[in-house]
Structure formats: structure tokens, C-alpha cells
Amino acid sequence: MRTSLHLYNTRSRKVELFSYPPQSSIGIYVCGPTVYGAAHLGHARSGITFDLLFRYLKYLGYQVTYIRNITDVGHLVSDLDQGEDKIIAQATKEKRHPMAVAQHYTNSYRADMQLLRVLPPTIEPCATGHIPEQIAMVEKLLAKGLAYLINGSVYFDVEAYSQHHVYGSLSGRKIEELMTGTRHLTGTSEKRHPADFALWKKADQEHIMRWASPWGEGFPGWHLECTAMSHQYLGPQFAIHGGGLDLTFPHHECEIAQAIGLTGKEPARWWMHHNLVQLNDQKMSKSAGNFITLQQVFQGNHPLLSQGYHPMIVRFFLLHAHYRSPIVCTDEALQRAAKQYSKLLNSWKISQDLNQQPPANPNSPNEKLSSAIIATSYACYDSLNDDLNTPQLLANLFELSRYIRALHRGEYTRSQVSQKAWKQLHTTYDVLMGEILGFYLPPKPTDLIQLLIKQYQEAKQQKDYDQVDIIRHALQQEGMAVQDNLQNVTWSYQL
């Protein structure tokens, strides 16, 4: 049982107590997307993982400043500081200005996150908006002897840094192995050592995105932008730095080296990494052509999909696995998620309906039943406190839904449930489904939908089965299913 929040720290490689006092102010910095293409399931997993953390920390009473950056310059096709900038490469392909490409995909990313009910961060800065801060950091690292200038580009000197600090401590890589493993690049690069990384790159003559600097026109390195923006908005040290597992090395390792080189302090107390989404049993990657965009999932226009899936089904699908576990996207897995989510959603609806009924006044409640409801409710929060264990949380919610449906069917009466247990049941379901997990109850049927349901019932009575099928399909388009009972026709959500 976890009575306080515990989170896995990539730095220590273990689950630790999140030892910040309640009501304190904490900062979260998460590496956001490089905006050179449509958002895909990998972006959704990152957005939803840290949205859950953001929501839960706020629920616990923390004052959270959540920063999620937008990379709109400096991310080269190769992490070895070679190749084109990803945004310029896309701009060339689309025959548009790079900033038009960046703005277009930033807008579409934000729209997709909104569909997934990912809350907007406190601040969402762009790399191009912080060029002066990045230049100032490069100057400081040069002055400290931790960087060197060559042919108009500035590189971080990993070997000089390693004389006093450990490079590779987050990822577990050793500098000797890095040097040996990449030694074959020596002679093909202007860097002194292959492990060195770019702080500032000289712009070639045809390079469009360029800024004036003390070393000539160029653009910042990808790793530097996060150091500059996290320092700008959260200071030299903050609570949590997050991102995908694939960012551990080299990106986050480089960030640590830059920050310690500048301030002598590691930037974050917690390093939090979510695992990756797989497609066709391989890591989903736009550069490898093995990816599926969110709009393709929503609309169903992808060869692997038999249908489109509502954004809330996608959100549920990504939360049904622990954030540190890999998740494989298949049509069958999404279909299972749709059925499971509909069950939770309809239990939520039933809970709301039951709560509208006049309160019962139990004289002698079923203590065993009431205690089980309370214990399961508490177990939901224990799951969240155990490193955001969403699979266990959802299992506990399904157990609560079993009690809700049993009450609805009349297997138990309201008078058998103590007032404390009833309030705990309803409040837990309401808070967890809506406030923390980020789902929502669709609107109840409008007058038009109620009329369709009535017409459906009349068509059934008249045995007009063609009309029954037409109305059933129309209701399905509205995200509703009809159930035939002996007495009447009822409806439920079916996204």
C-alpha cells in the first residue's frame, strides 16, 4: 500500500517517495514534439502520461508549473549533429517556409492534444523564442572551458567535462564505451571527439533558419534549447524532468552535462521516462516510416485499422498499460479498449443517475458490502500512489463498476450501503474518471435522440426490422447503443 505518492526515478533506477511537502510549488519540464509532421501515437502517449501526472499532482494540492516545449529548430536528422534540420527537410518537401511548417504542425498537435483532453501546460515555449538565452549559455560554457569553437560551430567538450563530472550517469553509459563505440567517425567530423555534441551550428549558405551570433550566423543545437527554457521558467533546479525513453541518451544526458557545466547543479531531482509505442512489433518512428498519426486512428484511414476510434478510446488504450511498459498498437487491442472503456463510461452514467435518486436512510447497512466498497475506493488511490499504476487503478475501477451495476440491477438496495460507502463510491468514480484520468461523460440524449429511441421502440413493436436497423445505425453514429428490455428500450454510450 502506498499512502503517499511514489515515482520511479530514472536517475536512481528505483521507485522513491515524492518527498515534497503538500501545497508546495513544484516544476515539471517535459520535452515536447519536434513539429515537422502530424502528431502520432507516440506524441499522444507522452502527452497523456504527463497530463495524468499534472492532474494528479494538482489534485494532491501541489502548485504545479508545467512546461512542455515545442522544438521548432535545431533538431537534426541525425543525433550525431549531421544531416538536415528535420523542419527544413519537411519544408523542402512541402515547398513551404520552415516556420510555416512549424506553425502548421504546432497547431495540429495542439488540436489533437485537445481532442485527447490533454490539459494545456502552464507555459509552452518554442525554441526559436529563446535564441538569446541559448547564445548566452554557449558563451558561458566557452568561458568555462567546457566548449570549443571550430569552423563557426561550437561543441560541448565531453572529455573536459568528464575530468570533474560523470557523463552518462543517467543512461548508464560510460564515456570510454562511447568513445570506443563511435571512434570510426574520427576524421569524418570536425568534432574533437565523437561524443561531443553541438551547442551552436554554423548555417550553410542555403540554410534558411539562421540567427546572428558572436561566431557568425547559425542555429542552436537541439539539446541546448531544453536547458535554456527549463532554466528560464523553472530556475536551475526543479522537481521533475520528463520525456520518452528514447530521449534518455543522448538528449537528457546532454542536458545534464550542460546544466551542471553552467550552474554546478543537476537540473531535476526526478527523471521520469515513459516507454514507447510499438507498431508491427517495432518502435513507432516517423523517420523509419513505421508510424500511425492520431488523425488516422480517429478516422480509421490506415491499413492496419478496421474502423476509426474515438479520442477517449485512444486515451483509455494508452492508460491501460503502465507508463514504463511498452505498448503495442493493433486493431484488436483498440477494439478491446473500446469495449472496456464503454463499460466504465456506462457505469459512470449509472453512478450519476443513482446519485440523483433520493438518498437512502439505512438503519442496518450491510457492513461487509459497505467495507468492500470503501476499501476498493481507497485501493484506487493506492494504485496512483504506486508510480501511477494505471492498470491496477483501472482494475479497481472495474471492481467499483461491479458494485454500481449490482445496485442498478437491484441485487443490492441503497439502504444496504452506508452513507459513507455510498458517498465514497460516487465521489471516487466521479473524481478519478473525470478530474484525474481525464475522461468525460458525453451529453445525455437530446430531444431528437429521445425521439429516435421512441421510433425505434415503435418499429420493434411493428416488426419493421429494416427501420429498426436504420435507427440503430443512426444512434450508433451518435455514440449510443440501444438495449431491448421486456418493459422498455434503454440506451447506453457506445463510442
Side-chain angles (χ1 to χ4, degrees):
M1 180 179 293
R2 302 283 189 180
T3 56
S4 299
L5 177 61
H6 289 67
L7 291 173
Y8 184 85
N9 192 345
T10 307
R11 159 64 75 205
S12 64
R13 296 174 178 80
K14 63 182 180 181
V15 175
E16 298 176 338
L17 173 67
F18 190 72
S19 54
Y20 284 80
Q23 307 299 322
S24 61
S25 298
I26 60 173
I28 304 174
Y29 187 92
V30 172
C31 296
T34 302
V35 284
Y36 70 104
H40 53 64
L41 272 175
H43 294 128
R45 186 165 206 194
S46 182
I48 290 168
T49 294
F50 293 104
D51 182 61
L52 173 67
L53 177 67
F54 184 31
R55 287 171 178 271
Y56 192 49
L57 288 173
K58 290 200 301 179
Y59 171 79
L60 293 175
Y62 292 101
Q63 306 301 310
V64 186
T65 301
Y66 174 28
I67 312 297
R68 183 182 66 208
N69 76 293
I70 296 290
T71 296
D72 55 357
V73 68
H75 194 170
L76 302 185
V77 171
S78 167
D79 287 341
L80 298 174
D81 302 318
Q82 295 175 342
E84 286 184 284
D85 183 297
K86 290 184 176 182
I87 293 174
I88 291 181
Q90 188 66 24
T92 302
K93 183 178 178 180
E94 296 184 13
K95 296 183 171 57
R96 289 201 287 174
H97 192 283
M99 290 309 294
V101 168
Q103 188 63 57
H104 171 77
Y105 289 115
T106 298
N107 293 343
S108 67
Y109 167 77
R110 288 170 175 163
D112 285 343
M113 292 302 106
Q114 188 173 19
L115 289 173
L116 292 167
R117 287 180 61 83
V118 171
L119 297 175
T122 312
I123 306 172
E124 194 171 38
C126 296
T128 53
H130 296 79
I131 301 296
E133 293 92 335
Q134 294 177 74
I135 290 174
M137 285 184 165
V138 176
E139 290 180 311
K140 190 171 182 179
L141 288 169
L142 281 167
K144 286 175 168 279
L146 293 173
Y148 57 90
L149 172 66
I150 185 167
N151 298 330
S153 295
V154 183
Y155 295 95
F156 188 90
D157 192 331
V158 171
E159 193 171 53
Y161 173 82
S162 298
Q163 292 177 9
H164 303 285
H165 308 284
V166 178
Y167 181 78
S169 58
L170 182 67
S171 60
R173 303 198 185 195
K174 298 184 183 300
I175 185 65
E176 297 81 6
E177 295 172 357
L178 293 171
M179 294 299 188
T180 303
T182 55
R183 184 64 66 184
H184 66 279
L185 291 174
T186 303
T188 65
S189 171
E190 62 187 4
K191 294 188 284 189
R192 291 177 182 171
H193 294 287
D196 295 348
F197 55 90
L199 299 169
W200 185 265
K201 286 285 287 182
K202 178 183 178 181
D204 296 333
Q205 200 165 25
E206 60 276 5
H207 200 99
I208 301 171
M209 302 175 81
R210 56 204 298 148
W211 289 264
S213 80
W215 321 286
E217 290 193 337
F219 56 94
W222 171 40
H223 311 304
L224 187 62
E225 65 178 69
C226 290
T227 301
M229 288 185 280
S230 64
H231 192 280
Q232 174 76 15
Y233 298 108
L234 299 175
Q237 283 188 309
F238 49 94
I240 299 172
H241 196 316
L245 191 64
D246 54 339
L247 297 180
T248 310
F249 185 88
H251 187 51
H252 289 163
E253 207 71 78
C254 295
E255 280 192 63
I256 291 173
Q258 289 166 162
I260 292 177
L262 288 162
T263 67
K265 301 175 181 178
E266 183 160 336
R269 283 190 59 193
W270 251 266
W271 288 86
M272 184 173 169
H273 295 89
H274 63 82
N275 215 313
L276 308 178
V277 179
Q278 297 177 359
L279 196 64
N280 295 327
D281 295 323
Q282 295 179 342
K283 171 195 166 185
M284 196 161 62
S285 167
K286 186 176 187 297
S287 58
N290 184 55
F291 73 105
I292 182 169
T293 70
L294 286 170
Q295 285 300 319
Q296 286 176 319
V297 179
F298 299 156
Q299 298 169 19
N301 58 349
H302 189 279
L304 294 179
L305 301 180
S306 62
Q307 64 183 76
Y309 293 94
H310 192 280
M312 290 300 93
I313 294 172
V314 176
R315 186 178 178 101
F316 176 89
F317 168 70
L318 292 171
L319 286 171
H320 93 283
H322 192 276
Y323 76 89
R324 288 196 286 119
S325 299
I327 188 167
V328 180
C329 176
T330 65
D331 191 57
E332 293 77 10
L334 286 166
Q335 287 181 18
R336 286 194 299 272
K339 292 177 182 177
Q340 292 171 336
Y341 178 66
S342 292
K343 184 175 180 180
L344 281 183
L345 188 66
N346 284 300
S347 295
W348 193 8
K349 176 181 89 73
I350 294 169
S351 171
Q352 295 275 10
D353 292 342
L354 289 172
N355 204 52
Q356 297 300 315
Q357 297 176 7
N361 185 23
N363 295 320
S364 55
N366 184 325
E367 292 298 337
K368 184 178 179 181
L369 171 64
S370 299
S371 297
I373 289 173
I374 292 171
T376 306
S377 298
Y378 289 165
C380 290
Y381 295 97
D382 290 339
S383 301
L384 279 171
N385 288 331
D386 185 14
D387 194 29
L388 304 180
N389 191 339
T390 51
Q392 187 58 54
L393 166 61
L394 291 171
N396 288 323
L397 279 175
F398 277 115
E399 181 67 11
L400 282 182
S401 76
R402 188 173 68 84
Y403 294 117
I404 291 170
R405 289 173 179 272
L407 283 161
H408 182 58
R409 290 190 299 264
E411 294 176 24
Y412 302 118
T413 63
R414 281 281 299 272
S415 61
Q416 290 178 283
V417 181
S418 70
Q419 293 288 6
K420 178 181 178 182
W422 176 258
K423 182 177 180 181
Q424 191 70 48
L425 173 64
H426 174 74
T427 302
T428 298
Y429 218 87
D430 212 35
V431 167
L432 288 172
M433 287 291 288
E435 187 175 346
I436 296 174
L437 289 175
F439 302 125
Y440 72 99
L441 272 176
K444 290 192 175 181
T446 61
D447 291 342
L448 178 60
I449 300 299
Q450 294 282 18
L451 178 61
L452 276 176
I453 294 173
K454 182 180 179 181
Q455 290 175 345
Y456 174 90
Q457 191 169 14
E458 291 172 352
K460 285 281 289 187
Q461 291 171 348
Q462 297 167 9
K463 298 184 179 181
D464 186 354
Y465 297 118
D466 288 340
Q467 185 67 8
V468 165
D469 290 340
I470 290 171
I471 297 174
R472 185 188 297 276
H473 179 71
L475 289 169
Q476 286 175 345
Q477 295 299 106
E478 297 297 322
M480 294 178 183
V482 288
Q483 289 91 34
D484 299 313
N485 299 320
L486 291 175
Q487 295 81 12
N488 57 13
V489 174
T490 60
W491 64 273
S492 63
Y493 295 116
Q494 186 178 32
L495 301 183

